[in-house]
Amino acid sequence: MGHTLHDHRHCDWDRDRAPALVVAPGEAVSLATLDASGGQLGPDSAPADVAAMDQDKVNPVNGPIAIDGAEPGDAIAVTLTDLETDGWGWTANIPGFGLLAGDFPHPVFWRWTIDRARGRGEAPGGIGWAPVKPFMGTIGLAPGAPGPHGIIPPYRTGGNMDCRKLVSGARLILPVEAAGGLVSAGDGHAAQGDGEVCGTAIETGMRLSVELELMKAAAPRAPVIETPAEAGPAAAEPRLVTTGVGPDLMDASRTAVRQMIDELTARRGLSAEAAYLMCSVCGDLSIAEIVDAPNWTVAFAFPLGRLG
């Protein structure tokens, strides 16, 4: 029988925060999260409300959840078994935030209507639409260094990675740096493009269910994602996704590719050289987010079905 985590919001990471819930490896947890504004923006908000947001309350996460027996050097695998958005969401231009902050200094607020039955979000004023593919923008473990640590940047232990591959059915493998791991999640997204260039996606409240697995002495260099198979011939193959997180895109890209080489040699018995060449031919390197200073997230996806 699974657990329900009630509202235990926090807006930073800290290894010394007492867990809101302690579970045994293999157990399931259901929880709900607020939108990235922490409830400061609503369906009837206006640009002035964006400019007036209290930045100390943004990007709240629910948790932490401790996994009994988790120690530094282990890995925790978080399987996202179910994700459900609210019926609306928002996208905003927040002054001073985003890739082109200097080009767009004024606050903007968009309310999207999320049609879950049709799987699409409708922009205001008939401007356009986006396919709804819900995912968690922020999910991670507490860093091992003494805290608190800001909630906006991602870390080696996950966090605000804004990687749109974290959909229902995905399995996220995170390196443990603090006792118990201390899993927290928030920042639900109904849709987002790679990069999240203006700094926001379709931000929405989310209800999610997860299963938590402990993998002893198996910490990866950075978060690893196993994606589910999707509908359609171009996306039918499940993919393995490795990440790199840090202030330098080149270094983050090298970390992501090196971790993929590690995964392919361990999972499929390839030599490192063979894995490197297959990565070059079949892998897809992308920027998951480039707005959460000082760290960016790079994702490297490989279709495992391409290997014999």
Side-chain angles (χ1 to χ4, degrees), residues 46-47 50 91-95 106-110:
V50 174
T91 303
N93 186 62
I94 301 171
H106 303 297
V108 178
F109 176 83
W110 278 11

Side-chain angles (χ1 to χ4, degrees), residues 210-230:
V210 299
E211 292 179 355
L212 302 170
E213 174 189 353
L214 178 60
M215 304 166 66
K216 298 299 292 183
R221 300 170 192 259
V224 173
I225 305 164
E226 299 170 352
T227 70
E230 298 180 18

Side-chain angles (χ1 to χ4, degrees), residues 138-152:
T138 301
I139 186 166
L141 311 181
H149 301 272
I151 200 71
I152 296 301

Side-chain angles (χ1 to χ4, degrees), residues 122-148:
E122 301 286 348
I127 290 172
W129 64 277
V132 167
K133 295 184 177 180
F135 74 95
M136 296 312 300
T138 301
I139 186 166
L141 311 181

Side-chain angles (χ1 to χ4, degrees), residues 253-276:
S253 298
R254 292 185 182 102
T255 296
V257 174
R258 286 175 176 139
Q259 181 64 43
M260 183 62 73
I261 291 169
D262 290 348
E263 295 290 331
L264 296 181
T265 56
R267 292 172 183 241
R268 295 302 178 92
L270 272 64
S271 69
E273 292 83 1
Y276 185 38

Side-chain angles (χ1 to χ4, degrees), residues 175-198:
V176 175
E177 291 187 355
L182 302 177
V183 181
S184 297
D187 188 26
H189 292 172
Q192 181 203 290
D194 281 333
E196 197 188 26
V197 294
C198 90

